[in-house]
Amino acid sequence: MSRGTTHPAPGPAVQVPGPGGPSIRPVAAPRMVKQRRRRPGLIALSVALIAGGGLSGAVLYATSGQRTAVVVVARDVPVGSQITREDLAEASIALDPAVKSVKASKADDLVGQRAAVDLRAGSLLAPAQVTKKSLIGAGEQLVGVSLKPSQLPATTLAPGQKVLIVSTPDPDAVSNGGKATNEVAPKTLRATVVEVGKPATGTGIVVVDVAIPATDGPALASRVATGDVALIVDSREGS
């Protein structure tokens, strides 16, 4: 028995215009499009990935949006100066966990401590930038030195700065020629500035508290009483 060729069933006939009049021609039946086979496992994996990405984004957004109340510097504070409540302010910012900061609730604990470095207004305050350590070390004494504007530099002094207290010539030790009778170097004492007072109204006299070795404290106090002293800013190198 011979095999016959299977032909697709003819579709519906349509009229086609022609020179001899309309003619009827069959139209081929439309081809059946094979539907793709769905894979439930792949669909589930895609849904899981989309959901996981959305969750990660939500967590990242929530974390980055968290703001913390921290302490910032309200005004410049020189190194060594005591910190007051007016030196501190509060700010609410989003921080990376690696950034060290002081919580705003701990601001009162900073009052009375000293600046370990120069603090600049508007900067975030880190715990290492303040210290409870006093500028008066063991075996030292605190002496107040009263100075006229002509007895100290015009440069603003800051706590922690190294200075030299120089004994100026006594007027009674100067001869008629205006030269000191003893051609020797003036006595000097190395000291550290602890606090700088405000200039007195009218006279401009400033009292500078300095820390010096206890063995030199009485001698410096005696010299300060006569007013025959001057202050020189020492180099910071080697301090």
Side-chain angles (χ1 to χ4, degrees), residues 39-56:
R39 299 180 181 180
L42 184 59
I43 295 175
L45 178 60
S46 301
V47 173
L49 291 175
I50 295 173
L55 180 60
S56 300

Side-chain angles (χ1 to χ4, degrees), residues 13 30 32 36 44 52 55 88 96 101 106-107 114 123 136 150 155 165 169 172 208 210 232:
M32 298 296 294
R36 294 184 178 180
L55 180 60
L88 308 175
D96 188 284
S101 61
K106 302 293 184 180
R114 294 186 178 275
S123 61
I136 306 175
S150 60
T155 302
I165 307 298
D172 296 335
V208 181
V210 296
I232 300 175

Side-chain angles (χ1 to χ4, degrees), residues 52-68:
L55 180 60
S56 300
V59 172
L60 179 61
Y61 176 81
T63 303
S64 61
Q66 290 181 352
R67 306 180 75 84
T68 305

